[in-house]
Amino acid sequence: MSTKILVVDDEKEIADFVELYLKNENFDVYKFYNGTDALKCVKEEHIDLALLDVMMPDMDGFSLLSEIRKDYTFPVVMLTAKTGSMDKINGLTLGADDYIEKPFEPLELMARVKAQLRRYMRYNEAGRKEEQDVMEIAGLALNKNTHQCTYGDEEITLTPIEFKILWILISQKGKVISSESLFEQVWKEKYFKNNNNTVMVHIRHLREKLGAVMGHKELIKTVWGVGYKIEES
């Protein structure tokens, strides 16, 4: 799955410039010129790292960072034209991982980005080793080691793809997972629009199998135009 970088800067030239260099390094770039649209993207996509400008008109970088840190742990690098130490302290206190002053050298920026990603990937890898192997919700239990799905005493036969989709949705219960994110996490391929039908078909089959055992409980909910989610009932 490709690495997704969020770039937020109300100075179009800088945002475009950063986007160009990131794309040259084969990163997927989600670029915005304001904090409001960027925050919406964070909630819809699986972002791996964010580059945030401090000074923006509608929502400054500190406010955006604060909102991100309520739910997400991916690395955040602040970009600023200011040189005051208090701004740096504020950013780090709110949860920023690094700070780069403008103007910056593209090679330095890329080096900082890659260093943060390496650190984050190592941390996540260590966390995954301790990840729980069994998850339960609404009487439904998934065992990652045996790939078994049970409801009470009854086993529900799932394909490997169906199991992966259900595991992802339950592990992030309460959050909306986009079709793009589901596809790239499950199939490990780049998502294209026609892949949405693939996701929809598997979700439908999954719902049918769960519904046959769980009755009228609709575990997987569709958030139209966004994706799918599972909530604790």
Side-chain angles (χ1 to χ4, degrees), residues 148-208:
Q148 285 182 304
C149 175
T150 56
Y151 183 69
D153 296 327
E154 189 165 357
E155 184 170 348
I156 304 172
T157 303
L158 302 180
T159 67
I161 293 294
E162 291 165 351
F163 187 93
K164 286 180 183 179
I165 291 174
L166 189 56
W167 182 271
I168 291 169
L169 290 172
I170 293 178
S171 66
Q172 301 184 60
K173 62 178 180 288
K175 294 183 180 180
V176 181
I177 312 299
S178 67
S179 295
E180 177 180 357
S181 180
L182 270 177
F183 183 86
E184 293 186 350
Q185 288 184 68
V186 173
W187 279 270
K188 308 298 183 184
E189 296 177 7
K190 176 67 178 175
Y191 176 88
F192 296 99
K193 286 186 177 180
N194 61 326
N195 295 136
N196 187 47
N197 290 331
T198 301
V199 176
M200 287 176 62
V201 168
H202 282 83
I203 290 287
R204 186 177 75 244
H205 291 164
L206 194 50
R207 280 174 169 158
E208 289 171 354

Side-chain angles (χ1 to χ4, degrees), residues 51-67:
L51 295 166
L52 310 182
D53 180 32
V54 170
M55 301 298 293
M56 292 185 291
D58 68 325
M59 178 188 292
D60 64 37
F62 294 141
S63 298
L64 179 54
L65 171 62
S66 181
E67 289 297 315

Side-chain angles (χ1 to χ4, degrees), residues 9-195:
D9 199 314
D10 66 327
E11 295 183 70
K12 187 177 184 298
E13 295 79 7
I14 293 178
D16 293 349
F17 169 77
V18 172
E19 177 188 34
L20 177 63
Y21 274 88
L22 288 170
K23 285 188 172 180
N24 284 341
E25 295 289 339
N26 295 317
F27 293 121
D28 281 352
V29 181
Y30 292 78
K31 178 182 65 178
F32 298 93
Y33 304 125
N34 66 80
T36 302
D37 290 340
L39 184 58
K40 181 180 178 183
C41 173
V42 168
K43 294 178 179 179
E44 295 175 356
E45 301 294 338
H46 180 82
I47 299 299
D48 295 295
L49 180 143
L51 295 166
L52 310 182
D53 180 32
V54 170
M55 301 298 293
M56 292 185 291
D58 68 325
M59 178 188 292
D60 64 37
F62 294 141
S63 298
L64 179 54
L65 171 62
S66 181
E67 289 297 315
I68 288 173
R69 282 294 176 252
K70 289 179 180 178
D71 297 300
Y72 306 96
T73 59
F74 57 76
V76 175
V77 179
M78 306 300 293
L79 307 175
T80 181
K82 291 187 174 183
T83 57
S85 60
M86 282 307 300
D87 280 331
K88 185 173 183 178
I89 292 171
N90 286 339
L92 295 175
T93 300
L94 288 170
D97 298 276
D98 202 354
Y99 221 94
I100 300 180
E101 294 179 5
K102 300 176 183 178
F104 47 79
E105 290 292 331
L107 292 180
E108 179 188 3
L109 177 64
M110 293 302 107
R112 300 274 193 98
V113 165
K114 291 177 181 178
Q116 289 297 330
L117 285 171
R118 282 195 301 271
R119 188 175 298 120
Y120 183 59
M121 297 304 179
R122 282 199 301 269
Y123 173 81
N124 275 2
E125 191 62 36
R128 276 194 289 272
K129 292 176 183 177
E130 301 175 0
E131 185 181 40
Q132 64 189 104
D133 295 321
V134 178
M135 293 193 297
E136 297 184 17
I137 186 170
L140 191 75
L142 267 70
N143 187 312
K144 197 173 186 180
N145 290 326
T146 62
H147 268 240
Q148 285 182 304
C149 175
T150 56
Y151 183 69
D153 296 327
E154 189 165 357
E155 184 170 348
I156 304 172
T157 303
L158 302 180
T159 67
I161 293 294
E162 291 165 351
F163 187 93
K164 286 180 183 179
I165 291 174
L166 189 56
W167 182 271
I168 291 169
L169 290 172
I170 293 178
S171 66
Q172 301 184 60
K173 62 178 180 288
K175 294 183 180 180
V176 181
I177 312 299
S178 67
S179 295
E180 177 180 357
S181 180
L182 270 177
F183 183 86
E184 293 186 350
Q185 288 184 68
V186 173
W187 279 270
K188 308 298 183 184
E189 296 177 7
K190 176 67 178 175
Y191 176 88
F192 296 99
K193 286 186 177 180
N194 61 326
N195 295 136

